[in-house]
Amino acid sequence: MSDGNDNKAGSNQMWGGRFAEGPSAIMREINASIPFDKALWRQDIRASKAHVAMLGAQGIVAPQDAATISAGLDQVAAEYAANGVPENWDLEDIHMTTESRLAELVGPVAGRLHTARSRNDQVATDFRLWVRDAVDEALAGLNALQKALVARAGEHVNSIMPGFTHLQTAQPVTLGHHLMAYYEMASRDVSRFADARARMNQSPLGAAALAGTGFPIDRFATAKALDFDRPTDNSLDTVSDRDFALDYLMAAAQCALHLSRLAEEFIIWASQPFGFVTLPDSLSTGSSIMPQKKNPDAAELVRGHAGRIIGSLTSLMITMKGLPLAYSKDMQDDKPPVFEAAGLLTLCLAAMTGMVDSTKFRTDRMRQAAELGYATATDLADWLVRQANIPFREAHHITGGAVKLAESKGIALDQLSLEELQAIDPRITEAVYPALDVEASVASRASHGGTAPSQVEQRVAQARAALGME
């Protein structure tokens, strides 16, 4: 898409008489964007209809001509919906493809459509509409993921599992608490997409090539027709701005990071050494040579797709980093990374929602891992501080000895006899055993945001209400 102010509908030479020769085959191929920007056809038709309606209302175009053009655009849209968008590289892009077909349908009056606009503000409007739709799709996907996380967390408020740091057993937590951690991540993703949508919701239409137009247009009318809050305020910035696309990609990249982390959890949990989950068959694959395998391919692809989404963000940032005002042809490359990222993000959200919703959690294995991983070691140290008035560093050393003994015997901490514990430190009494129980451990962590079932249950209820699940 290039700077275009020539109104000759259907022409395949937008440069008019400026050049003596037509484009070379190389130039024709490098210049054409129709193979990918045809995805904007719905937005292009919608924006064109809003524009011509305004032209008619303002008396810039005769009302009958405006009505003829609008009806013709409806017919073009019906053809695209039924048969797809044709790819004529001589027409370069979706805008000239549509205008060319419009001219075939309604005749020379089609040339009045491009009055008081440029392909620069046209593509800025179409692309912004498309990205706004992509934001809405991401928000819908996140909403479904959040509901799945909250529903499963509600089922497992009391299910005990090991909490990890450095992928080493740290302290016992509940599975519900663990799943709600990803709900919080998704909530931040929602806020980022919502913020991006609010910023981008201004209409570029009417900025024209770069300086505005001398025609008495009504930019507020076209903004309202396209559900924008208001028109943009600086024509130079308007046609050269792709912050809205970068905002979307930044939110998408952060969301993809969260989905990748969740996917990695399922990959680890599904491995035989962990055995915490049984993944749904619908999101797993087998091996061509090893019949026992059930591979977490969907989760692995979500993990992999995160890299491609981050790459899309990097690509557009580098494209934009050195461009002077206003429009430059480099900006034609803004759409492929956004289109790719949006498609991948939609898939990733759907895959992880399905995985959360359908996975079988093996809570018996989780609890066993928490017990044998000495997850209550911190509770023993805390008990020594509280009950025996021992400095924490000394209590930490004593606890280390107890863990070493239990590990050598292959048993949980609460299975050590009182005699064995007192041999490590005589200040330990029978009263220590409740503190070594994993259920007592998680129940004790009732501070705000803690893993205690009472806290998790409260947070699940709040989330259900926020999501309208009640």
Side-chain angles (χ1 to χ4, degrees):
M1 297 165 201
S2 61
D3 202 272
N5 301 304
D6 190 331
N7 291 333
K8 291 188 289 186
S11 172
N12 64 2
Q13 278 296 343
M14 292 302 296
W15 319 306
R18 173 65 178 82
F19 297 92
E21 298 180 3
S24 68
I26 293 173
M27 186 61 200
R28 175 178 174 273
E29 184 165 348
I30 199 172
N31 196 49
S33 58
I34 188 63
F36 55 83
D37 71 22
K38 63 184 180 182
L40 299 173
W41 74 261
R42 290 179 177 83
Q43 291 77 19
D44 193 62
I45 295 288
R46 184 184 179 193
S48 290
K49 290 191 67 175
H51 181 67
V52 77
M54 179 275 296
L55 293 178
Q58 293 295 106
I60 299 170
V61 169
Q64 183 57 46
D65 288 345
T68 298
I69 291 170
S70 185
L73 288 168
D74 286 337
Q75 187 172 343
V76 175
E79 291 177 0
Y80 288 170
N83 305 314
V85 179
E87 290 189 22
N88 182 344
W89 287 21
D90 288 331
L91 294 172
E92 296 183 18
D93 55 34
I94 184 59
H95 318 302
M96 291 315 302
T97 297
T98 297
E99 191 171 333
S100 175
R101 180 56 182 151
L102 181 65
E104 292 172 356
L105 292 172
V106 304
V109 70
R112 299 189 183 280
L113 171 60
H114 209 52
T115 306
R117 76 174 182 186
S118 161
R119 279 193 290 176
N120 292 350
D121 65 328
Q122 187 178 1
V123 67
T125 302
D126 294 354
F127 194 26
R128 195 173 291 226
L129 287 170
W130 193 97
V131 173
R132 190 177 68 182
D133 289 343
V135 168
D136 290 342
E137 186 173 19
L139 287 169
L142 280 163
N143 182 262
L145 175 63
Q146 286 181 301
K147 286 180 177 178
L149 287 165
V150 170
R152 299 310 303 274
E155 296 172 13
H156 294 285
V157 166
N158 296 293
S159 300
I160 293 171
M161 64 174 291
F164 298 96
T165 61
H166 309 278
L167 206 55
Q168 303 291 312
T169 299
Q171 294 176 326
V173 297
T174 61
L175 175 56
H177 191 55
H178 195 112
L179 293 172
M180 287 301 290
Y182 284 96
Y183 167 82
E184 299 295 340
M185 294 183 206
S187 296
R188 294 193 294 274
D189 292 327
V190 167
S191 70
R192 273 183 282 269
F193 279 114
D195 288 347
R197 195 188 196 286
R199 272 191 301 276
M200 72 177 63
N201 208 36
Q202 297 180 6
S203 174
L205 195 56
L210 75 163
T213 178
F215 288 96
I217 62 172
D218 185 349
R219 294 191 63 205
F220 287 88
T222 50
K224 182 178 180 181
L226 295 172
D227 296 321
F228 286 114
D229 295 330
R230 59 188 313 279
T232 55
D233 290 327
N234 184 288
S235 59
L236 278 169
D237 174 59
T238 297
V239 299
S240 63
D241 169 41
R242 294 299 182 268
D243 285 2
F244 63 91
L246 288 169
D247 277 352
Y248 170 79
L249 288 174
M250 288 177 189
Q254 184 67 70
C255 182
L257 288 177
H258 291 154
L259 295 173
S260 182
R261 294 182 70 183
L262 180 58
E264 176 68 2
E265 300 265 23
F266 280 92
I267 292 165
I268 292 171
W269 292 353
S271 65
Q272 279 78 11
F274 275 76
F276 285 4
V277 298
T278 301
L279 298 181
D281 291 346
S282 60
L283 293 170
S284 306
T285 66
S287 166
S288 63
I289 190 173
M290 295 169 285
Q292 83 280 11
K293 296 290 291 300
K294 183 177 182 180
N295 299 326
D297 282 9
E300 290 173 349
L301 286 167
V302 168
R303 189 175 60 185
H305 287 353
R308 292 172 63 186
I309 293 171
I310 294 165
S312 294
L313 168 61
T314 303
S315 172
L316 185 53
M317 291 179 74
I318 293 172
T319 295
M320 297 301 299
K321 72 174 182 61
L323 298 185
L325 295 176
Y327 183 87
S328 295
K329 192 68 171 181
D330 313 46
M331 293 166 69
Q332 183 167 289
D333 284 340
D334 57 358
K335 281 162 271 324
V338 176
F339 291 166
E340 179 181 25
L344 292 173
L345 184 64
T346 298
L347 275 174
C348 291
L349 283 166
M352 293 315 300
T353 299
M355 196 161 294
V356 170
D357 188 58
S358 303
T359 289
K360 177 183 178 182
F361 293 104
R362 300 183 60 187
T363 54
D364 56 333
R365 290 289 296 269
M366 291 181 175
R367 183 188 179 100
Q368 182 183 37
E371 292 173 341
L372 293 180
Y374 312 107
T376 57
T378 305
D379 297 271
L380 173 55
D382 289 346
W383 184 90
L384 288 167
V385 170
R386 287 194 304 266
Q387 302 300 321
N389 197 28
I390 298 174
F392 182 81
R393 286 301 169 200
E394 184 182 352
H396 186 283
H397 180 75
I398 295 167
T399 301
V403 169
K404 183 177 181 180
L405 177 60
E407 189 174 41
S408 69
K409 297 171 70 70
I411 59 176
L413 276 174
D414 62 354
Q415 292 177 315
L416 290 172
S417 68
L418 181 60
E419 291 76 13
E420 288 171 323
L421 288 170
Q422 289 181 332
I424 296 169
D425 192 284
R427 289 168 289 187
I428 299 175
T429 69
E430 187 81 29
V432 76
Y433 283 102
L436 301 183
D437 177 71
V438 290
E439 288 183 354
S441 175
V442 297
S444 70
R445 285 170 167 76
S447 57
H448 180 79
T451 192
S454 60
Q455 282 292 312
V456 177
E457 192 169 49
Q458 179 181 347
R459 188 67 187 111
V460 166
Q462 292 169 344
R464 289 181 66 88
L467 293 169
M469 297 172 66
E470 299 294 274

